[in-house]
Structure formats: C-alpha cells, structure tokens
Amino acid sequence: QKLHRDGQIEDVIYVFPNGGHFSRYRDWPDANVKTETFLIQELIPHIDETYRTITTREGRALSGWSMGGDGSLRFVFKYPEMFCAAATISAAIDWGAPEDGSDSIFSWSRDHLDQVREKTALLMVVGEEDQLYGAHQKLLPHLDELGIEYEFHSSPGVGHNLGEMSQQYGEEI
C-alpha cells in the first residue's frame, strides 16, 4: 500500500492462490491434484473475466516464497506468453521436477529462450544459510549461459525464514 500511496506503483490486483500442501504447483500424473491446471486454465481466466485486468503478459507478474517461488519461476518460463516477470524469495528450484529434466525451470528456460531473453524480469533472493541456496547457485550459471538477465541477492546468516527475508526485501518483491 505504501508504494501505491507514494505513487511508485500504479493500481494493481494481487491474487494469492494457495497451491496446497506439497502440490509443488504442478499437476500430479497419478493423483487428483491439478494445481497448475487450476491456476493457468481456470483461476487466471476467471480473474480476467471478473476484474479490470491487463490480459497481456505485460499485465501479469508472479511472486512466491519457497514452493511458490519454484512455481513462479517455472511458470514464467513455461508460459512466457502469459507473464512478464517473476520475483522469488527462497525458491525451491525444480522441487518435484521429473527426473528426466522435463517440465523444469532449466528445460523451459532453454525451450522458450527467445520468448524470455530480454523480455522477462527476474528477481531472486535467498538466505545463504537456507538449504535452497545451493539450488540457486546451480540455476544462476545456467541463466548466465543462456544470456537471461536477472537480479539476485543473498543474505548472509539467514536460513529458510520468510519473516527475515521479507524484512530485508519486502518492497522489492
């Protein structure tokens, strides 16, 4: 609200879907968990039909913490026609991705490189004591190799703690 009140951002609609306990923001092939389908094919169209939204990719960005950060990164690369940016806090990078590497942040960033490079804004923050820090250290060289720009911040002495990360980066995310 402060950023809006101070004129730093325009009107915005925030939608906070809960991906469910351990859904990994994916559709499960062997169960009736269809979180990705719900979000991409049902929730977003419903929001667009119900509210005054910008229905192009320029009008949609993602943000998420932990499992939601993973979903945000995977969706921004998997559906580049829908989203222009992703900001993550302590993303659980490729948690639950198939072992063959398909349907992963790594595979979608390669497959949709022309649609995301120089067209998608990325911000990632993670604590250096977070068990997810190492996964970020694997992803960043991959993005560098592809020429995908990003902003990355790490916090020394901070573990997997949303409160501490929000205090440090709340307005940026």
Side-chain angles (χ1 to χ4, degrees):
Q1 288 182 345
K2 181 183 180 314
L3 295 175
H4 184 264
R5 189 176 50 248
D6 293 346
Q8 294 179 23
I9 61 171
E10 295 183 30
D11 290 345
V12 65
I13 297 170
Y14 291 97
V15 179
F16 294 96
N18 183 331
H21 195 62
F22 297 116
S23 76
R24 298 178 182 114
Y25 288 88
R26 297 174 178 277
D27 289 351
W28 293 9
D30 299 332
N32 193 22
V33 175
K34 304 296 180 206
T35 306
E36 183 173 342
T37 295
F38 167 69
L39 294 172
I40 300 299
Q41 296 179 18
E42 297 176 16
L43 180 62
I44 292 172
H46 172 74
I47 298 298
D48 286 342
E49 291 167 9
T50 306
Y51 301 99
R52 186 178 50 91
T53 63
I54 300 170
T55 60
T56 62
R57 75 182 301 274
E58 293 78 18
R60 285 195 202 98
L62 299 160
S63 183
W65 149 256
S66 195
M67 180 177 74
D70 171 60
S72 296
L73 286 173
R74 191 168 59 86
F75 288 167
V76 83
F77 289 124
K78 187 172 182 177
Y79 302 103
E81 73 282 1
M82 293 181 72
F83 306 104
C84 69
T88 68
I89 303 172
S90 306
I93 294 170
D94 279 340
W95 184 40
E99 289 185 27
D100 65 3
S102 65
D103 198 18
S104 70
I105 294 164
F106 289 83
S107 66
W108 290 118
S109 59
R110 276 191 306 274
D111 291 352
H112 294 148
L113 182 58
D114 291 339
Q115 295 165 293
V116 296
R117 186 173 39 205
E118 298 179 9
K119 297 174 184 153
T120 303
L122 300 173
L123 170 62
M124 296 169 278
V125 299
V126 65
E128 292 179 12
E129 301 303 317
D130 192 322
Q131 68 269 22
L132 302 174
Y133 180 76
H136 286 77
Q137 297 310 301
K138 292 177 184 171
L139 178 62
L140 301 179
H142 170 78
L143 297 176
D144 290 338
E145 181 180 311
L146 295 177
I148 296 173
E149 294 182 19
Y150 58 86
E151 186 175 336
F152 175 76
H153 301 282
S154 62
S155 295
V158 177
H160 200 67
N161 186 309
L162 178 59
E164 287 185 47
M165 296 302 290
S166 294
Q167 284 180 341
Q168 292 184 34
Y169 301 104
E171 286 192 2
E172 292 179 55
I173 303 293

